[in-house]
Amino acid sequence: MEISEEAVIVNSSRLKSVVWNDFDRVKKGETFAAICRHCKRILSGSSTSGTSHLRNHLIRCRRRSNHDITQLLTRGKRKQSTLALTNFSYNQAPVKNEVVTVASTNLEQGLKVGNINTGSVNFDYRRSQLDLARMIIMHGYPLGMVDDIGFKTFVRNLQPLFDLVTVSEVEADCMEIYKKEKQRVYEELDKLPGKVSLTVDRWATNGGTEYLCLIAHYIDDSWELKKKILNFLVVDPTQAEDSLSELVMTSLRNWDIDRKLFSLTIDNRSTYDKIVCRIRDQLCQHRFLMCEGQLFDVRCAASTVKLLVHDVLETSGEIINKVRETIGYVKGSQGTQEKFNEIVQLVGINWQKGLFIDNPFRWNSTYMMLEAALEYKEAFPQLQEHDPGFSMCPSGLDWDRLRAITSILKFFHEVSNVFVGRKHITANSYFAEICDIHLQLIEWCQKSDDFISSLALKLKSKFDEYWKKCSLIMAIAAILDPRFKMKLVEYYYPQIYGDSAPDCIDIVSNCMRALYSGHAIYSPLAAHGQSSASESSGGIIKDRLTGFDRFLHETSLSQNTKSDLDKYLEEPLFPRSVDFNILNWWKVHEPRYPVLSMMARNILGIPISKVAQESLFDTGDRALDHCWSSLKSDTLQALMCSQDWMRNELEVMDSKSSGTPVFALRYDAN
């Protein structure tokens, strides 16, 4: 509709609806129009058109978005379609006890308000922008969702005052959130009372790009086990070891934790050996590592089990494939399946779980497939007698070996579940499980079946490499468990080493004392950021009494003064219980063992296993979600790190709420 100069403004004072306070009603000939006083948009002003379309326009009118619409009320016969929106503003905190009910919306009309009843609604545009960015980060949504028509319609109907953002704008908001959260993490790491242990994960994308994910693990001043993703870095698979090691060292320096690093946990692959050695050598040059880096190299326990399982599956591949073909034949047609079910009933098999074909990318699926197949092994030969087309039935020898293979997989399956049985598992929990693996491998090697014994020898060869690197740190962690102390080492080592056990126990004991001495010497410095320098008004000065601290420690030893360690080892074991929390125990006993508790904080925080629960049984590297895999490397790092930090914060808040679900995010825009 066009309004010419001949149109005249009609006096609207007689009109009952308050909506006319924001419109001019004009008339040209017999036609009436309503002109918005804010944006000058022209709408129908006929009395037969009603005022709903005018009211809806005022809700959407951006030029009126900061205008008081207290009086926007409909006074008509249909009270059920009342709209009461009061006091919109941008910079005030939201009023409590708001009740908003939207009856219906659709894509074509944009916004149709049914029953909306609010007390006082305040809209903070910047806060909503950051809410949107946090939502995308938290749930891993694609940034491009802000361009989707469904999302735009939903937001416009929900809050017409919100100006929709572009992909570049929401990306900038995500980067802003990342920088603020990063500063908080940096300050937290800087104030830590103890050391930091690092894990390195390898991620991949469908496009072939690879990433290194660096995660810091530590026990904070409240004796809570924490972890934070520090970096998510794109890497070239062809990069030399020195380049990758320097990439890690640069990250440590940027976070200023190279001087605080205690250990590095990485997958048990020989390709990482040189990388770990280069990092360890650089840290040892600056004397950042205790015990000359003897405890620095930690290989992931779960990834070691996955390597052993891979060898089991590879060696048994021919037999396992025969089982897959057998099950595939049975389930290949309805007639064969019915015939097989009849045989199962005749044979008297009561196994409730049916046959299924495994997912070859999940080794626990293969284990469960074999376990189910073994329950039906008596039915397969009967099927072969009645069905000439069934020719791939495993032989008696195959079934015997399958039973042994399944037993091996079952053992590793149970051990793997222990590794992720609790949400935050400390380093003391692994020693007994790893010792049991060692003893089980020894037993398998002594089997009379050449197939099993040769397989066990292959597994033990790889396990021995892992044991050589990691058994010492796990033994020390077990000693720091007041339920076991030295007794658990003294129980397992004779079974593993036989006559050589006393010498091996002495090695653990000597390393324990050397590590304690290192903490005792530097304990006064650890309270000052673990640095031999202190700040003064003139800058950085050297603490010249470092030698005095060492002198005090050495003279106390010469005077046969009992140390924390001696007192701890001489006292009775703490009773074993299911609900025992070792971190709470050390938190309570920290005043009694000031030096040993510092050592416990650093040791118990070491991630002996770094594999997440959802990846425990995967046979490949962790894969990045496709919706983020195409992002720029800086943006991807910001999203991955921020998501981890925000989720950890919510977990802490949820744990403090006594089981009540909590969802609260920072809303500050400063």
Side-chain angles (χ1 to χ4, degrees):
M1 179 187 297
E2 295 183 0
I3 303 297
S4 66
E5 296 179 357
E6 299 176 359
V8 295
I9 298 178
V10 179
N11 185 1
S12 59
S13 61
R14 296 172 60 96
L15 300 174
K16 294 182 180 181
S17 176
V18 295
V19 77
W20 290 107
N21 292 338
D22 296 274
F23 286 92
D24 290 320
R25 193 175 189 227
V26 300
K27 179 180 180 182
K28 181 184 178 183
E30 299 299 321
T31 303
F32 289 87
I35 303 176
C36 177
R37 294 177 180 177
H38 308 285
C39 67
K40 306 305 179 185
R41 182 170 177 179
I42 303 170
L43 296 93
S44 173
S46 172
S47 59
T48 60
S49 300
T51 58
S52 296
H53 65 296
L54 303 181
R55 182 178 64 248
N56 290 341
H57 169 75
L58 288 179
I59 295 174
R60 295 192 298 267
C61 182
R62 296 184 180 181
R63 297 205 175 187
R64 191 183 181 276
S65 60
N66 202 28
H67 186 72
D68 184 10
I69 54 174
T70 306
Q71 303 300 321
L72 189 56
L73 300 170
T74 300
R75 301 175 183 175
K77 296 181 179 179
R78 301 183 63 182
K79 294 183 180 180
Q80 67 273 17
S81 60
T82 298
L83 173 66
L85 297 177
T86 310
N87 193 23
F88 272 74
S89 67
Y90 282 90
N91 300 313
Q92 300 178 16
V95 178
K96 295 182 179 179
N97 300 324
E98 300 172 357
V99 178
V100 180
T101 306
V102 179
S104 61
T105 62
N106 58 62
L107 291 174
E108 292 78 14
Q109 295 181 358
L111 176 66
K112 180 185 290 184
V113 180
N115 297 322
I116 299 184
N117 180 14
T118 71
S120 179
V121 180
N122 300 277
F123 177 60
D124 187 335
Y125 172 70
R126 183 58 185 152
R127 168 174 169 167
S128 295
Q129 273 189 317
L130 294 176
D131 284 348
L132 173 59
R134 288 187 177 96
M135 179 189 72
I136 289 174
I137 293 172
M138 175 70 68
H139 301 290
Y141 296 147
L143 271 63
M145 68 175 288
V146 298
D147 285 337
D148 294 342
I149 183 62
F151 176 76
K152 289 181 177 180
T153 303
F154 170 76
V155 172
R156 180 60 67 207
N157 289 338
L158 185 67
Q159 178 49 269
L161 301 180
F162 181 70
D163 284 334
L164 293 168
V165 296
T166 63
V167 173
S168 58
E169 287 173 335
V170 76
E171 182 179 2
D173 289 338
C174 290
M175 294 299 294
E176 179 182 336
I177 292 170
Y178 165 69
K179 291 176 182 177
K180 292 176 182 177
E181 295 295 328
K182 182 179 180 181
Q183 182 60 32
R184 292 187 177 98
V185 174
Y186 182 91
E187 292 172 359
E188 182 177 347
L189 294 175
D190 185 59
K191 297 175 183 177
L192 283 181
K195 295 276 191 177
V196 175
S197 291
L198 189 73
T199 60
V200 179
D201 282 332
R202 199 139 195 160
W203 288 61
T205 65
N206 293 332
T209 307
E210 293 189 6
Y211 297 88
L212 283 184
C213 181
L214 310 183
I215 307 176
H217 302 255
Y218 54 90
I219 296 174
D220 64 10
D221 55 357
S222 299
W223 286 91
E224 295 288 338
L225 188 62
K226 300 286 187 66
K227 72 178 185 68
K228 304 282 187 184
I229 293 181
L230 301 182
N231 292 95
F232 200 81
L233 306 168
V234 62
V235 296
D236 183 353
T238 63
Q239 272 184 296
E241 290 86 356
D242 54 348
S243 299
L244 292 174
S245 60
E246 190 56 38
L247 192 66
V248 175
M249 284 302 304
T250 300
S251 173
L252 296 175
R253 296 188 192 101
N254 289 341
W255 284 96
D256 196 23
I257 58 171
D258 52 334
R259 60 194 172 89
K260 290 187 174 183
L261 195 63
F262 191 87
S263 69
L264 172 65
T265 302
I266 201 165
D267 286 335
N268 193 11
R269 300 179 184 176
S270 58
T271 52
Y272 294 135
D273 290 348
K274 292 183 179 179
I275 297 173
V276 175
C277 285
R278 289 179 182 274
I279 296 173
R280 179 173 53 198
D281 291 345
Q282 289 192 53
L283 294 173
C284 285
Q285 286 176 4
H286 297 88
R287 298 185 178 180
F288 289 152
L289 296 180
M290 292 188 174
C291 294
E292 299 180 349
Q294 186 179 3
L295 305 176
F296 177 73
D297 186 1
V298 180
R299 299 305 170 101
C300 174
S303 69
T304 300
V305 171
K306 288 168 73 172
L307 279 178
L308 300 180
V309 169
H310 176 268
D311 284 348
V312 173
L313 298 178
E314 186 178 55
T315 303
S316 313
E318 184 177 347
I319 302 176
I320 294 174
N321 283 332
K322 191 178 291 188
V323 173
R324 286 195 188 102
E325 292 176 1
T326 298
I327 297 175
Y329 182 84
V330 171
K331 301 180 73 67
S333 69
Q334 185 176 355
T336 305
Q337 180 72 64
E338 292 174 353
K339 185 182 298 184
F340 184 77
N341 291 339
E342 293 175 2
I343 294 174
V344 167
Q345 292 180 0
L346 291 173
V347 174
I349 298 173
N350 295 319
W351 183 251
Q352 299 298 320
K353 299 178 183 178
L355 295 171
F356 67 94
I357 299 178
D358 65 328
N359 176 0
F361 299 105
R362 301 276 296 176
W363 68 264
N364 61 325
S365 173
T366 303
Y367 153 66
M368 288 185 285
M369 177 189 73
L370 298 180
E371 186 181 46
L374 282 168
E375 295 296 328
Y376 291 95
K377 77 168 190 174
E378 300 298 333
F380 291 116
Q382 298 291 331
L383 178 64
Q384 192 171 27
E385 290 182 7
H386 294 83
D387 187 347
F390 180 45
S391 59
M392 68 285 296
C393 181
S395 65
L397 179 60
D398 290 337
W399 287 116
D400 291 339
R401 290 182 175 177
L402 277 170
R403 186 171 296 281
I405 292 167
T406 305
S407 176
I408 293 173
L409 293 177
K410 180 180 181 180
F411 174 77
F412 287 134
H413 185 266
E414 292 172 349
V415 170
S416 298
N417 281 323
V418 172
F419 291 167
V420 291
R422 298 190 298 275
K423 188 151 186 85
H424 301 295
I425 184 168
T426 47
N428 60 299
S429 305
Y430 292 89
F431 181 70
E433 300 298 328
I434 298 301
C435 286
D436 284 340
I437 292 177
H438 202 158
L439 294 174
Q440 190 64 70
L441 288 172
I442 293 173
E443 180 183 335
W444 288 335
C445 288
Q446 297 171 353
K447 290 287 185 181
S448 57
D449 188 327
D450 291 340
F451 176 81
I452 300 301
S453 61
S454 61
L455 172 59
L457 286 171
K458 182 180 180 181
L459 300 181
K460 191 173 184 305
S461 176
K462 286 191 175 180
F463 177 83
D464 286 345
E465 296 176 7
Y466 170 76
W467 178 263
K468 184 178 180 180
K469 282 187 172 74
C470 303
S471 61
L472 188 57
I473 190 65
M474 285 186 290
I476 291 174
I479 295 171
L480 289 169
D481 189 327
R483 299 170 298 171
F484 303 121
K485 300 184 180 179
M486 286 295 299
K487 294 300 181 181
L488 199 61
V489 178
E490 293 170 354
Y491 168 73
Y492 274 111
Y493 272 29
Q495 300 178 64
I496 294 172
Y497 293 109
D499 295 338
S500 303
D503 294 336
C504 297
I505 294 173
D506 286 342
I507 292 174
V508 174
S509 179
N510 293 337
C511 184
M512 182 82 177
R513 295 188 178 279
L515 190 60
Y516 174 84
S517 297
H519 282 82
I521 291 171
Y522 292 103
S523 58
L525 306 178
H528 297 84
Q530 302 194 17
S531 171
S532 60
S534 60
E535 294 185 4
S536 68
S537 58
I540 303 296
I541 61 173
K542 184 178 181 181
D543 184 356
R544 300 188 181 279
L545 293 179
T546 303
F548 175 70
D549 296 325
R550 186 178 292 105
F551 167 76
L552 285 179
H553 173 68
E554 292 173 351
T555 53
S556 66
L557 292 179
S558 64
Q559 294 172 0
N560 296 322
T561 303
K562 282 190 176 182
S563 65
D564 290 359
L565 179 59
D566 293 327
K567 295 176 184 176
Y568 170 79
L569 293 177
E570 290 174 2
E571 291 175 353
L573 299 181
F574 191 80
R576 291 176 57 199
S577 62
V578 177
D579 58 348
F580 176 74
N581 187 317
I582 190 170
L583 296 184
N584 283 345
W585 191 94
W586 278 105
K587 181 179 181 179
V588 171
H589 291 81
E590 184 175 12
R592 179 172 175 79
Y593 308 110
V595 176
L596 192 61
S597 64
M598 183 192 310
M599 176 175 160
R601 190 193 304 271
N602 295 334
I603 295 294
L604 297 177
I606 296 174
I608 302 298
S609 180
K610 66 178 185 60
V611 176
Q613 184 170 5
E614 63 271 15
S615 304
L616 184 62
F617 301 108
D618 289 346
T619 56
D621 292 328
R622 297 193 69 178
L624 190 66
D625 194 292
H626 70 279
C627 70
W628 281 4
S629 60
S630 59
L631 296 173
K632 295 183 296 184
S633 58
D634 289 347
T635 303
L636 177 59
Q637 176 172 250
L639 294 176
M640 292 293 291
C641 293
S642 301
Q643 183 185 75
D644 175 73
W645 302 336
M646 291 163 64
R647 286 180 175 178
N648 286 339
E649 183 178 353
L650 288 177
E651 286 180 5
V652 172
M653 295 176 66
D654 187 53
S655 65
K656 292 180 179 179
S657 66
S658 302
T660 302
V662 173
F663 191 86
L665 300 174
R666 293 192 182 94
Y667 291 106
D668 57 299
N670 298 323

